[in-house]
């Protein structure tokens, strides 16, 4: 078992002739959380999507816990067990209740017996403060509650890495805090996380490292306290001036 949970080496990705990721390299040690930030269109979502095989790329290599990510169908199933993803817009199954949303992925993908999968789901729902709402349907929940269910669902696969793509951007202001609290708890419990967010307070308080992307390139990669107190690049300084108002 390697201590590097995520390793990206010289990754380049084009959409047609457009270079969306330009020679990107980064490492996330096991147990650490990294924030990916940068202007809109800088390639943050594309990079996250490469990490769990939702995108292919032309050059470079991605390794999750030492295993190379390839986009062959058989490999993707194995990859999805190791990498959990939480999206801005939740992507819950609307026709299933909360318990089924969380217990179904391990039943299908890990062939866990129903009772075991539901035990696990109840435990995870308690962890994200949703124990009381296991029998509700997504339409009955607030945005913050839906996102906490989505986090529990990602955890149900016992992934080695959790990816978050702007998990609080679609939420009303009251819900943002409750989701960030859950994410803080996960980071403090030593989960490996890669988080795309504009919540710079959270990034500074909770995350170990910041990767700043611009035009598909890593402009800066620094420990969080250093990045926020003394960004090395003008572009990062300008960006922080815009988002930290
Ligand atoms: N499927 C796609 N086809 C063509 N261009 C894309 C596609 N997805 C993203 N892009 C482009 O790649 C760039 C990076 O996008 P994205 O990773 O979504 O940025 P971010 O998440 O940082 O806002 C943008 O210019 C976007 O328009
Ligand atoms: Mg994005």
């Amino acid at each position: 078992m390697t201590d590097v949970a995520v390793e990206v080496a010289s990754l380049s990705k084009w959409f047609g002739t457009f270079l969306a990721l330009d020679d990107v390299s980064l490492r996330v040690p096991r147990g650490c959380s990294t924030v990916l930030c940068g202007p809109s269109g800088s390639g943050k979502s594309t990079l996250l999507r490469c990490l769990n095989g939702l995108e292919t790329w032309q050059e470079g290599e991605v390794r999750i816990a030492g295993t190379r990510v390839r986009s062959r169908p058989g490999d993707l199933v194995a990859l999805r067990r190791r990498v959990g993803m939480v999206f801005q817009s939740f992507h819950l199954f609307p026709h299933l209740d909360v318990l089924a949303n969380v217990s179904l992925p391990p039943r299908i993908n890990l062939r866990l017996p129903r009772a075991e999968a539901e035990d696990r789901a109840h435990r995870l729902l308690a962890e994200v403060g949703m124990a009381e709402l296991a029998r509700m349907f997504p339409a009955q929940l607030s945005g913050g509650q839906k996102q906490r269910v989505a986090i529990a669902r990602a955890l149900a696969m016992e992934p080695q890495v959790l990816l978050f793509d702007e998990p609080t951007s679609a939420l009303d202001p009251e819900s943002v805090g409750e989701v960030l609290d859950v994410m803080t708890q996960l980071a403090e419990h030593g989960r490996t996380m890669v988080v795309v967010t504009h919540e710079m307070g959270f990034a500074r308080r909770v995350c170990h490292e910041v990767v700043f992307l611009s035009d598909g390139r890593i402009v800066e990669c620094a420990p969080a306290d250093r990045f926020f107190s003394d960004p090395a690049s003008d572009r990062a300084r300008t960006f922080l001036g815009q988002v930290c108002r």
Side-chain angles (χ1 to χ4, degrees), residues 27-228:
R27 289 164 147 247
V28 183
R30 198 141 52 93
C32 289
S33 42
T34 290
V35 161
L36 271 184
C37 63
S40 177
S42 55
K44 305 179 296 292
S45 295
T46 303
L47 178 54
L48 276 197
R49 290 166 59 82
C50 288
L51 296 185
N52 78 344
L54 285 172
E55 291 283 4
T56 56
W57 57 88
Q58 286 82 9
E59 285 175 12
E61 207 171 89
V62 175
R63 285 176 187 269
I64 302 291
T67 306
R68 211 169 135 190
V69 173
R70 280 179 260 248
S71 53
R72 290 198 303 241
D75 294 341
L76 283 181
V77 174
L79 176 69
R80 301 266 152 76
R81 291 180 187 179
R82 299 199 301 273
V83 183
M85 182 126 169
V86 175
F87 301 89
Q88 180 176 329
S89 48
F90 326 120
H91 293 309
L92 296 178
F93 304 114
H95 58 295
L96 298 178
D97 69 11
V98 162
L99 184 67
N101 262 282
V102 179
S103 57
L104 207 59
R107 281 179 63 196
I108 292 177
N109 298 304
L110 309 178
R111 306 210 179 286
L112 227 55
R114 176 195 282 259
E116 209 174 310
E118 292 189 349
D119 279 353
R120 182 183 292 187
H122 281 300
R123 180 172 49 78
L124 292 169
L125 287 169
E127 212 175 298
V128 300
M130 290 290 294
E132 310 297 313
L133 302 178
R135 288 299 175 188
M136 303 284 260
F137 283 81
Q140 299 171 289
L141 304 176
S142 72
Q145 291 170 333
K146 282 186 229 182
Q147 197 58 301
R148 286 188 281 151
V149 173
I151 292 171
R153 181 180 59 180
L155 291 171
M157 295 292 289
E158 301 191 324
Q160 285 158 346
V161 179
L162 278 176
L163 310 177
F164 294 84
D165 196 355
E166 302 204 28
T168 59
S169 296
L171 300 179
D172 48 282
E174 307 93 276
S175 291
V176 171
E178 71 189 49
V179 170
L180 292 179
D181 285 348
V182 168
M183 292 170 63
T184 301
Q185 220 180 81
L186 294 174
E188 283 171 355
H189 289 163
R191 291 271 177 191
T192 309
M193 319 205 306
V194 182
V195 184
V196 174
T197 185
H198 297 296
E199 293 290 338
M200 294 294 120
F202 166 83
R204 185 171 198 164
R205 244 185 358 265
V206 175
C207 295
H208 299 90
E209 207 161 45
V210 177
V211 171
F212 177 70
L213 276 174
S214 181
D215 297 324
R217 230 167 302 154
I218 294 184
V219 174
E220 201 166 332
C221 174
D225 47 3
R226 236 244 341 270
F227 180 80
F228 288 104

